[in-house]
């Protein structure tokens, strides 16, 4: 297995692959090396047929306190524009399998944005979400102005990004940013259980569904409905559709082939 410097790879349950951010001394600040490793690990897990769902997590104190400010301090416009791993690392679009963020402690700046890049978020009761870039004289660059606004609405998004208002885990749940909030002792296990549920289903149906949901962010309602219809028709060409319906009729558990 590839040796990583800033992350750990874990496989805590069948079908589940975990990318654990591992710079605890810097509250998992996202430096270029870490972002390169996250990208490489996600691509490797995505290509691994034994994995059906991935989790990105940190530790109890920090999911990630944002991009590495000490590294960004020496970064110029041209560096950022021409070859930033920060930029390429914040594109999860090529990853087909669902990703769950298991968040405890700080999820700030790029940390909050990385959680929002994931498909679902399980939070511990200690999680804190925020976009404090304004204090550094910059603005969110990893999707915060767009994804957070879509998640919580304009008024609250403005307050969070213009004044560094931070959301507690319960607030994040209330405003629709996260799927659930659980005790700090169980947030990771809860994320693993959720990932196992996803991994135990037809991977081809999961992919078609995830892609259709994501389309809702980019398309008009008409275009989105057309896209959903195409994916629905496509599902009727799969072996898993035949098996899923046959299993229902025969009152037994489906045996997915992921084809
Ligand atoms: N970068 C570098 N080091 C960090 C860090 C960060 N973001 N956050 C914490 N650390 C380091 C601290 O410097 C400290 O290191 P030492 O001094 O011990 O060497 C260590 O982690 C522990 O931090 P503290 O001593 O500060 O711990 P506290 O518990 O007192 O405070 C805190 C925790 C999270 C409130 C505080 O550390 C803090 O405010 N951190 C900075 C949070 C922040 O401003 N985050 C936003 C950064 S800007 C993009 C994609 C993404 C981004 C940009 C572009 N593209 C795709 C283009 C993202 C930008 C950002 O995230």
């Amino acid at each position: 297995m590839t040796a990583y410097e800033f992350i750990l790879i874990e496989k805590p349950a069948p079908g589940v692959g975990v990318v654990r951010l591992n710079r605890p001394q810097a509250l998992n600040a996202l430096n270029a090396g870490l972002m390169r490793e996250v990208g490489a690990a996600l691509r490797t897990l995505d290509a691994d047929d034994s994995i059906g769902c991935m989790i990105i997590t940190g530790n109890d104190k920090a999911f990630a306190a944002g991009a590495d400010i000490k590294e960004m301090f020496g970064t110029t416009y041209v560096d950022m524009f021409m070859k930033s791993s920060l930029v390429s690392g914040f594109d999860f679009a090529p990853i087909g399998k669902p990703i769950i963020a298991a968040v405890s402690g700080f999820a700030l700046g790029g940390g909050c944005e990385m959680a929002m890049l994931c498909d679902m978020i399980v939070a511990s009761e200690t999680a804190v979400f925020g976009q404090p870039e304004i204090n550094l004289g910059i603005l969110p660059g990893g999707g915060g102005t767009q994804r957070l606004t879509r998640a919580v609405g304009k008024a609250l998004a403005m307050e969070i990004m213009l004044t560094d208002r931070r959301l507690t885990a319960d607030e994040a749940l209330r405003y629709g940013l996260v799927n659930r909030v659980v005790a700090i002792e169980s947030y990771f296990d809860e994320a693993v259980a959720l990932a196992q549920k996803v991994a135990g289903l037809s991977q081809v149906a999961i992919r078609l569904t995830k892609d259709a949901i994501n389309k809702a962010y980019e398309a008009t309602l008409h275009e989105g409905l057309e896209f959903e219809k195409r994916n629905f028709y496509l599902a009727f060409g799969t072996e898993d559709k035949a098996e899923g319906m046959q299993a229902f009729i025969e009152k037994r558990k489906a045996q997915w082939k992921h084809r």
Side-chain angles (χ1 to χ4, degrees):
M1 192 182 281
T2 322
Y4 292 110
E5 185 182 353
F6 302 113
I7 62 171
L8 301 170
I9 303 299
E10 300 164 11
K11 294 186 176 171
V16 180
V18 175
V19 176
R20 185 179 291 279
L21 310 181
N22 190 35
R23 290 187 77 203
Q25 71 291 351
L27 301 180
N28 290 333
L30 309 168
N31 64 9
L34 182 147
M35 288 310 300
R36 265 194 302 273
E37 291 185 1
V38 168
L42 289 178
R43 284 192 297 277
T44 302
L45 291 171
D46 204 34
D48 181 341
D49 286 341
S50 74
I51 298 296
C53 188
M54 295 173 260
I55 294 174
I56 300 181
T57 194
N59 54 55
D60 289 355
K61 185 161 185 216
F63 177 72
D68 190 314
I69 299 168
K70 293 163 191 168
E71 189 176 76
M72 279 194 297
F73 178 67
T75 302
T76 65
Y77 166 81
V78 174
D79 295 336
M80 196 55 101
F81 184 62
M82 297 297 283
K83 59 176 174 61
S84 172
S85 306
L86 201 54
V87 175
S88 52
F90 270 78
D91 181 10
F92 286 7
I95 307 297
K97 291 171 188 166
I99 310 174
I100 297 169
V103 176
S104 185
F106 298 112
L108 301 177
C112 183
E113 291 170 315
M114 184 182 278
M116 291 190 292
L117 276 173
C118 297
D119 301 301
M120 293 183 268
I121 303 177
V122 174
S124 98
E125 59 204 345
T126 66
V128 178
F129 296 87
Q131 299 284 164
E133 288 88 343
I134 199 75
N135 298 326
L136 300 169
I138 59 172
L139 69 153
T145 61
Q146 305 304 301
R147 292 198 177 90
L148 189 60
T149 306
R150 281 168 163 81
V152 306
K154 177 181 163 182
L156 185 56
M158 284 284 182
E159 193 179 336
I160 291 168
M161 288 179 265
L162 296 184
T163 73
D164 187 19
R165 152 100 187 265
R166 299 189 183 176
L167 298 184
T168 63
D170 284 338
E171 286 176 321
L173 182 65
R174 191 174 338 131
Y175 298 123
L177 184 61
V178 307
N179 291 72
R180 62 192 70 164
V181 176
V182 294
I184 188 165
E185 296 78 24
S186 50
Y187 75 96
F188 183 69
D189 291 344
E190 186 80 13
V192 172
L194 188 58
Q196 268 190 287
K197 202 175 273 184
V198 173
L201 296 163
S202 160
Q203 292 309 301
V204 63
I206 289 280
R207 178 88 50 110
L208 290 168
T209 307
K210 171 177 160 165
D211 287 352
I213 294 170
N214 279 333
K215 198 73 179 173
Y217 275 97
E218 283 152 25
T220 62
L221 180 60
H222 175 74
E223 288 163 349
L225 290 171
E226 282 301 309
F227 188 87
E228 180 191 85
K229 236 184 280 173
R230 296 289 150 197
N231 279 10
F232 185 78
Y233 301 154
L234 209 158
F236 274 64
T238 66
E239 293 178 34
D240 281 352
K241 172 262 176 187
E243 166 63 8
M245 295 193 182
Q246 196 169 357
F248 174 82
I249 292 164
E250 293 172 1
K251 299 186 188 299
R252 62 172 173 80
K253 206 170 177 310
Q255 301 294 316
W256 305 117
K257 293 190 180 144
H258 311 301
R259 285 205 297 246

